[in-house]
Amino acid sequence: MLLEEQRFLSEDLERLESAISDRIGEEPKQIRERLNRDHQISGFLTRIQDQSNRLLDIYKDVEGLRTKEIQAISTGDPFDEFYKQLGEIKDFHRRYPNEPVENLERAYKRRAPAEGESATAEVDNMFTGEESFGKFLDLTTLHEDYLNLSGVKRLTYLQYLDSFAIFVPPQCPIKRVDKTTDQYFNYVKRLSAYLEDFLKRTRPLEDLDKLFSVFNSDFDKAWQSHSVLGWTEDQKTAGPAAPVAEGTGEGIWCPGCEKEFKNDNVYKSHLSGKKHIKAAEIRKARLDTNGSNVQKAKPQINPLHDLKERTIAEREFRISKLASTLSSERTATRVNVERKQGMTERERQMELDALFAESNDAAPLAHDSDSDSDSSEKIYNPLKLPLAWDGKPIPYWLYKLHGLGVELPCEICGNFVYMGRRAFDKHFNEARHIYGLKCLGITNTSLFREITGIEDALKLWDKIQRDKRVEGGKSEGIVQMEDAEGNVMPEKVYYDLQKQGLL
């Protein structure tokens, strides 16, 4: 049955090419739909490679089975061969009665929204909520792993986003000797794996294997020439305390203290300090010792240690390259984190609800001509009724029931008009109204419900203040009396108890 398999593979290749051309002709507006399309095309391309390899193996005919089958059909009685193959087919289905048959016509057809889209669920489960379908990076777990490393500074998440791809001082205080630990190796391994996986998920149609091979070749050249940042020969011979780089280049670098100074006066004043003098002496002695050791004897070479250093340096080099490739996503992540830090919990929840609503009402409707005509029609709303959750005007009886046609202004809120009694009653506890009262100098806002005028609010506040002062004056004028046992009480109570003979 090799000829039938050959025909099946050829048909499958044609169906795949047609499916790819149909999807390339589309241009989705949303990033979710675009990723869905790209991952489908990537899966089709992978299947084309697999099916093409199978078809090439049939054409090569190493075992000669295809030639024997062609000879059996061309020579001899064709009906005998036909009934022989028919018997094999019946025998196969007799042994496997529930064997599913693959329908190539529907396998790669663009499905309607009602039929469901299996790849959409795959894309939904492919990204975390923080990544937002590949718009942003999610490095929160890796940030925690970085903070658990020994000898690092406590960086915020924003600072970590700026410096996670830099492995030289002052951004990275970890020295070369400390980088060979298992904890640091696992950290750079996880960071590199995450960036590679994020690149594969967001760019499924790019030739990433070629990009990674370019990274490997660039690293090999840099390692042989000893030009990998943080792993040069002078840093290796200078010992673990030697400076790897002279700061950011914006200020003045002190090699003895391994510290950068932004101000020239501060740098000059610290030169006479005991800490700097001691650090300079230690650095000078270390350099003299290292120079004499290099001249006297060759250092011992540990192949396993060198291999581990090369592996860690390769991970750092790849992380730097991947970070530069994902520079736009990195910048967008920083902007998104800064924006979310300035939002309240209610605003974050509203944003999540809007995101879920957008993903649920995504554009598969665009593939249906009937839905196109419906969405293009304007909604008839002559009474200017509020819109419900489905985007259509609410019924008129509901509009009258809630009194949404009644306008209730509030002068304290800046003459803001509230539609309906329900919204008007709720606004007295909202931030806008409370802020307006505080601008008038009113602190106790609970007593000013149903008051919307500025003049009325000020009059009531003045009356409350006068009443408080009068009550305070009365309490100050009370005469205090003390009995024989030392109990203090008002004068009226004292005389009442005295008349009753209780004192």
Side-chain angles (χ1 to χ4, degrees):
M1 303 294 289
L2 288 178
L3 292 180
E4 173 60 23
E5 185 178 359
Q6 176 183 332
R7 185 208 62 78
F8 174 80
L9 292 175
S10 300
E11 180 186 1
D12 194 16
L13 291 175
E14 291 182 0
R15 299 278 187 186
L16 286 167
E17 292 176 0
S18 176
I20 291 175
S21 63
D22 291 342
R23 284 160 176 78
I24 289 180
E26 303 171 358
E27 192 58 39
K29 296 180 180 179
Q30 296 183 352
I31 186 173
R32 177 172 176 265
E33 296 301 318
R34 181 182 61 80
L35 284 172
N36 181 19
R37 181 202 65 179
D38 292 348
H39 279 281
Q40 284 184 351
I41 294 175
S42 177
F44 293 159
L45 292 175
T46 304
R47 184 173 174 85
I48 284 177
Q49 291 180 349
D50 297 339
Q51 300 292 63
S52 299
N53 291 331
R54 289 177 58 189
L55 191 59
L56 285 174
D57 293 338
I58 294 176
Y59 278 118
K60 289 178 182 178
D61 196 18
V62 178
E63 299 179 358
L65 298 177
R66 180 170 173 270
T67 305
K68 291 180 181 180
E69 188 173 342
I70 293 175
Q71 289 178 355
I73 296 175
S74 58
T75 60
D77 191 358
F79 288 102
D80 292 341
E81 184 65 25
F82 171 76
Y83 285 114
K84 178 182 176 182
Q85 294 184 5
L86 181 61
E88 293 178 357
I89 294 173
K90 289 182 178 180
D91 182 62
F92 176 82
H93 286 286
R94 191 182 302 111
R95 283 181 289 144
Y96 307 101
N98 297 323
E99 183 72 16
V101 179
E102 187 176 5
N103 188 355
L104 295 181
E105 186 176 359
R106 296 190 60 188
Y108 313 119
K109 184 180 178 181
R110 184 71 173 176
R111 298 177 184 175
E115 300 178 11
E117 193 70 53
S118 59
T120 303
E122 180 183 352
V123 172
D124 291 340
N125 299 328
M126 197 175 293
F127 298 94
T128 63
E130 188 69 23
E131 290 174 338
S132 185
F133 296 109
K135 291 182 182 178
F136 315 114
L137 297 170
D138 186 7
L139 299 176
T140 52
T141 306
L142 293 165
H143 176 232
E144 294 178 358
D145 295 342
Y146 174 80
L147 294 179
N148 290 329
L149 296 175
S150 59
V152 299
K153 299 178 181 178
R154 302 292 297 181
L155 300 179
T156 62
Y157 188 53
L158 281 174
Q159 293 172 337
Y160 178 74
L161 287 174
D162 292 335
S163 61
F164 75 89
I166 303 175
F167 299 97
V168 294
Q171 288 84 356
C172 180
I174 304 176
K175 298 176 182 179
R176 180 165 179 169
V177 176
D178 298 331
K179 287 184 178 182
T180 55
T181 59
D182 293 338
Q183 188 181 13
Y184 183 79
F185 174 73
N186 292 331
Y187 162 71
V188 293
K189 181 181 178 182
R190 286 193 295 267
L191 180 56
S192 175
Y194 171 78
L195 295 178
E196 289 182 11
D197 180 64
F198 183 84
L199 201 61
K200 292 177 182 177
R201 286 180 289 149
T202 54
R203 305 179 186 182
L205 297 182
E206 293 187 10
D207 190 1
L208 298 179
D209 293 334
K210 182 179 180 181
L211 179 66
F212 295 154
S213 63
V214 171
F215 291 167
N216 293 333
S217 61
D218 292 344
F219 171 76
D220 292 338
K221 294 177 183 178
W223 185 260
Q224 291 175 2
S225 61
H226 305 289
S227 59
V228 180
L229 290 178
W231 301 89
T232 54
E233 283 296 322
D234 55 343
Q235 294 156 0
K236 185 174 182 179
T237 56
V244 177
E246 297 186 355
T248 59
E250 299 177 356
I252 304 173
W253 177 262
C254 178
C257 301
E258 296 182 12
K259 187 177 180 182
E260 186 178 14
F261 295 89
K262 301 293 184 181
N263 195 330
D264 187 28
N265 295 328
V266 177
Y267 171 74
K268 291 179 180 179
S269 61
H270 106 283
L271 293 176
S272 58
K274 295 181 180 180
K275 187 175 180 181
H276 171 76
I277 296 173
K278 185 177 180 180
E281 292 176 354
I282 294 174
R283 180 173 182 272
K284 183 178 179 181
R286 185 177 64 243
L287 292 176
D288 295 341
T289 304
N290 290 334
S292 60
N293 290 338
V294 170
Q295 293 175 0
K296 288 180 181 179
K298 295 182 179 180
Q300 295 181 355
I301 299 176
N302 188 351
L304 185 60
H305 182 73
D306 292 344
L307 179 61
K308 192 170 185 179
E309 283 190 344
R310 177 186 170 87
T311 305
I312 295 174
E314 191 270 335
R315 297 293 179 185
E316 292 182 353
F317 184 84
R318 175 165 290 201
I319 289 170
S320 302
K321 291 291 185 179
L322 291 171
S324 61
T325 305
L326 297 170
S327 58
S328 58
E329 288 84 355
R330 189 177 174 185
T331 305
T333 303
R334 178 179 176 81
V335 174
N336 182 56
V337 171
E338 290 178 342
R339 182 178 61 85
K340 283 190 174 182
Q341 287 180 350
M343 296 169 62
T344 62
E345 185 64 28
R346 180 171 175 270
E347 291 173 339
R348 293 194 190 99
Q349 189 62 37
M350 291 174 62
E351 184 180 11
L352 284 176
D353 295 341
L355 181 63
F356 286 137
E358 180 182 357
S359 61
N360 292 332
D361 300 335
L365 299 173
H367 305 293
D368 194 352
S369 59
D370 296 336
S371 60
D372 276 344
S373 60
D374 294 340
S375 61
S376 60
E377 295 179 358
K378 291 185 178 180
I379 298 175
Y380 182 69
N381 189 13
L383 298 177
K384 305 297 182 183
L385 300 177
L387 301 181
W389 60 270
D390 57 353
K392 296 180 180 179
I394 63 175
Y396 185 70
W397 63 267
L398 186 63
Y399 176 80
K400 297 293 289 183
L401 177 65
H402 290 288
L404 298 179
V406 180
E407 296 182 356
L408 299 170
C410 179
E411 187 180 5
I412 296 176
C413 297
N415 293 322
F416 190 85
V417 178
Y418 294 93
M419 304 301 294
R421 186 70 193 181
R422 183 180 179 185
F424 180 74
D425 291 339
K426 286 175 62 178
H427 100 279
F428 289 107
N429 296 326
E430 294 178 352
R432 187 201 302 269
H433 189 80
I434 295 174
Y435 178 75
L437 290 174
K438 289 183 177 180
C439 291
L440 297 175
I442 300 172
T443 55
N444 189 2
T445 59
S446 60
L447 301 175
F448 289 81
R449 194 174 182 84
E450 300 294 335
I451 295 178
T452 58
I454 295 177
E455 186 177 355
D456 296 338
L458 292 176
K459 287 181 179 179
L460 178 59
W461 181 247
D462 292 340
K463 184 178 183 303
I464 292 173
Q465 296 298 106
R466 289 197 304 271
D467 293 343
K468 283 185 178 181
R469 288 194 292 268
V470 170
E471 291 179 1
K474 288 182 179 179
S475 62
E476 292 176 358
I478 296 176
V479 178
Q480 301 289 334
M481 303 293 288
E482 184 178 358
D483 60 3
E485 296 179 357
N487 298 320
V488 179
M489 62 195 73
E491 183 181 14
K492 184 176 181 299
V493 176
Y494 179 83
Y495 286 121
D496 289 341
L497 294 175
Q498 191 178 36
K499 290 177 182 179
Q500 296 175 12
L502 298 177
L503 293 179

